[in-house]
Amino acid sequence: MSAALHFHDQRRTEAGLSLRDEVLAGFADTPKHVAPKFFYDRRGSELFDSICRQPEYYPTRTEELILRRAANDIAEIAGADASLVELGSGASRKVRLLLEALHPPRYLGIDISEEFLRRSTELLATDYPWLEVHAACADFSQPMRLPEDFDGRHPLAFFPGSSIGNFDPDEAQAFLGNLHGLLAEDGGLLIGVDLRKDRRTLEAAYNDRAGVTAAFNLNLLERIRRELDSDIEPDSFSHRAFYNEAASRIEMHLVSRRTQEVRVEGERFRFAEGESLHTENSYKYSVDGFRDLARGAGFRPLALWTDPQGLFSVHYLQR
Ligand code: AVI
């Protein structure tokens, strides 16, 4: 364990972090839904890490390949004194490629899952003794501020993994607008964005043969059972993921295997057989479509890297 870790607790209980409120509101709605940020308890973060290693899930390894090839160019654009701020840091290994190329004076990892965040940032502090390592536990889908040490210090924000795709396009633009406000005048944003492609490749990535994505989706119900007063039975739901081409997104659902009534915190909710609980959208963009979105949030697209197959993109946006 490293003593060098600076920890900032920026959780805001009023800002939509409550699983209870989310489930009670989402189960009462038509169609039923729960926001994907609730996937990431400890088990969910571990399962996501495992998804990233599945052969069908191309985004992680493709983004790593792009970053490995582009790291020196990125370092040149960012400049020598840029602090690195990683959003949704989790167990990310990608940031190591950047740390090694940029050699920044300080790093801040921001994540919603405290345990995972502590573990991964402590490891970074151990492995890079020259680096000042900060960790902020925060829900970055809500407006937030950078800790003082990072304010106005030429930060480069890094938002990998196409997590931007988990917002609806309107929310994505609002989120990018918040980030634009968060960064100092000469700051930049390096962001990974999954690209549109054929249905087969996309659907395979969200229906891996080992069943890890299914377990990740169903863990949301396990979490409701563990953390709330609920009799929900995860076994009575099935994982479903498909490409909604018209909307340019993968949709994930949990489908009720039978007609059932579920109790949560004293309230009862009816699920018909085949009724779906919508748990995630994962939007896929064209390069131009994403650039337009970024411009709409005030950013200036400066550089772009993709892989030879055109599966994934990494954009450098200037504030
Ligand atoms: C975190 N996010 C970008 C992943 C995605 O691909 O949308 C989450 C995920 N859901 C199922 N598999 C991976």
Side-chain angles (χ1 to χ4, degrees), residues 40 48 51 57 161-163 166 206 213 216 252 280 282 284:
Y40 300 94
F48 178 63
I51 286 175
Y57 195 74
S162 202
S163 292
N166 296 134
Y206 292 81
T213 307
F216 171 73
M252 290 219 310
E280 188 176 61
S282 189
K284 311 300 168 187

Side-chain angles (χ1 to χ4, degrees), residues 27-247:
F27 277 26
D29 214 350
T30 314
K32 294 179 172 63
H33 56 86
V34 174
K37 67 183 175 190
F38 293 98
F39 282 137
Y40 300 94
D41 65 347
R42 181 184 174 179
R43 176 86 186 121
S45 296
E46 282 167 3
L47 284 166
F48 178 63
D49 205 35
S50 171
I51 286 175
C52 293
R53 292 192 300 271
Q54 298 309 305
E56 297 92 339
Y57 195 74
Y58 62 85
T60 310
R61 62 172 180 276
T62 310
E63 189 180 40
E64 269 182 40
L65 173 90
I66 296 171
L67 287 172
R68 195 163 291 121
R69 292 181 175 172
N72 291 335
D73 294 349
I74 294 166
E76 205 167 304
I77 300 173
D81 59 337
S83 304
L84 192 61
V85 177
E86 187 185 17
L87 300 154
S89 57
S92 178
R93 284 166 290 272
K94 297 165 204 159
V95 76
R96 291 171 177 259
L97 295 168
L98 291 182
L99 289 173
E100 283 157 28
L102 266 80
H103 222 82
R106 65 190 70 71
Y107 163 87
L108 168 68
I110 306 177
D111 204 280
I112 198 168
S113 170
E114 178 176 347
E115 210 183 325
F116 226 61
L117 173 71
R118 280 193 186 272
R119 238 190 298 157
S120 59
T121 46
E122 274 166 4
L123 263 180
L124 289 181
T126 307
D127 293 349
Y128 302 100
W130 45 267
L131 184 66
E132 187 184 307
V133 179
H134 295 247
C137 187
D139 176 4
F140 58 76
S141 69
Q142 305 289 326
M144 62 172 289
R145 294 191 49 187
L146 290 180
E148 260 177 33
D149 309 285
F150 287 80
D151 235 0
R153 291 240 207 161
H154 185 51
L156 174 64
F158 178 46
F159 193 34
S162 202
S163 292
I164 192 72
N166 296 134
F167 294 108
D168 289 341
D170 284 356
E171 294 167 359
Q173 194 161 55
F175 172 75
L176 290 176
N178 282 340
L179 263 183
H180 187 265
L182 198 72
L183 293 170
E185 197 123 317
D186 54 354
L189 171 61
L190 186 70
I191 183 166
V193 183
D194 198 10
L195 295 174
R196 286 184 180 166
K197 60 187 62 63
D198 64 284
R199 174 180 299 276
R200 240 166 72 125
T201 305
L202 281 170
E203 292 189 343
Y206 292 81
N207 291 284
D208 60 276
R209 247 182 284 166
V212 183
T213 307
F216 171 73
N217 200 6
L218 285 159
N219 178 60
L220 183 67
L221 304 182
E222 313 264 6
R223 184 175 178 194
I224 291 170
R225 224 187 137 87
R226 274 195 299 271
E227 293 183 26
L228 304 180
D229 175 23
S230 176
D231 62 359
I232 197 160
E233 288 175 21
D235 286 353
S236 65
F237 289 82
S238 326
H239 163 74
R240 179 166 184 243
F242 62 90
Y243 186 43
N244 176 341
E245 195 170 351

